[in-house]
Amino acid sequence: MQLQSPKRSPRIVLLPWLEAFGVFAWGMLLLKYWLTGQIKLLIHPDYIWLSVVGGIGLAIVSLWKMAILARSRRRFPDASHSPLLPPAVSASILILTAIVGFVIAPRPFASQTALELGVADLSATTRSQPQSFRSSKKPEERSLIDWTRTLSVYPEPDAYSSQKANVIGFAIHPPELPENYLVIARFVITCCAADAYPIGLPVKLSQN
């Protein structure tokens, strides 16, 4: 007597492919952010290489999984473990969030965000070990962060009255400042966009 093998339902057949495709989509999303330069808005430059390696790793793992699925002759998926979420739910979350990442481009932080968060300085980090900071750059070559650190270590504005400054940032006017002052600000990312915070350099104008 020959027994017929039970047929697999389309759901059982497609589910492992959806999971592999979700991992592949996230790998491609990380590489897309890197190739378009958008990753600089999300991650500190020191960690970009890690994101690129992660994206390549996810793509390789997902392709390897797809190759196994294509060659596999098993009738049923491995049920030796019990996942926290149903496989269909976890695969859907991976795919949907990756699609949102492809459709919606990350935007840089703007001046309104800086006003809402409040412009900070680096005094909390520089004054704890002021002797460790030495700026050997010319005044006109200092970045906004360099100037903020310098003023935090030695907050005497008159000492810099004859020095030139050439900084890049956006101009904001916090409501607590007089009308003849504005702040040149930009965001600092310690690790990723979730911990970004604004710092600023106050500027006194000749008129309101």
Side-chain angles (χ1 to χ4, degrees), residues 6-208:
K7 294 182 179 181
R8 290 180 294 179
S9 67
R11 180 176 178 274
I12 294 178
V13 174
L14 293 177
L15 187 55
W17 286 93
L18 288 177
E19 292 176 335
F21 179 75
V23 175
F24 179 78
W26 265 99
M28 292 295 99
L29 180 60
L30 290 175
L31 294 179
K32 177 249 185 183
Y33 283 152
W34 171 55
L35 293 174
T36 59
Q38 295 173 338
I39 198 169
K40 297 177 181 179
L41 302 175
L42 303 172
I43 298 176
H44 191 280
D46 290 346
Y47 306 112
I48 290 179
W49 70 270
L50 188 60
S51 301
V52 175
V53 172
I56 295 174
L58 290 176
I60 293 175
V61 169
S62 59
L63 292 175
W64 174 70
K65 178 65 174 179
M66 292 179 186
I68 292 178
L69 291 173
R71 296 194 304 264
S72 177
R73 296 181 179 179
R74 291 182 302 173
R75 293 295 180 180
F76 298 100
D78 184 12
S80 60
H81 69 283
S82 178
L84 180 62
L85 294 175
V89 175
S90 59
S92 299
I93 293 175
L94 278 176
I95 295 173
L96 289 176
T97 52
I99 291 175
V100 170
F102 277 106
V103 174
I104 302 177
R107 294 182 298 177
F109 292 106
S111 56
Q112 184 60 35
T113 307
L115 286 173
E116 293 173 356
L117 295 177
V119 179
D121 58 28
L122 298 179
S123 58
T125 58
T126 55
R127 289 181 181 172
S128 59
Q129 292 181 332
Q131 70 278 9
S132 63
F133 175 72
R134 295 290 186 273
S135 180
S136 59
K137 298 179 181 178
K138 297 179 180 179
E140 60 270 20
E141 295 178 353
R142 293 174 186 165
S143 67
L144 185 60
I145 296 177
D146 293 332
W147 272 110
T148 307
R149 286 175 173 170
T150 301
L151 291 172
S152 296
V153 174
Y154 188 59
E156 294 295 337
D158 292 339
Y160 315 102
S161 59
S162 61
Q163 298 183 10
K164 297 180 180 180
N166 183 16
V167 296
I168 298 176
F170 49 85
I172 60 175
H173 182 261
E176 64 272 14
L177 290 184
E179 291 296 326
N180 61 329
Y181 279 84
L182 57 81
V183 174
I184 304 297
R186 68 182 308 167
F187 279 84
V188 174
I189 296 180
T190 304
C191 179
C192 62
D195 60 23
Y197 60 94
I199 62 169
L201 185 67
V203 178
K204 183 178 181 180
L205 306 176
S206 58
Q207 57 185 1
N208 292 349

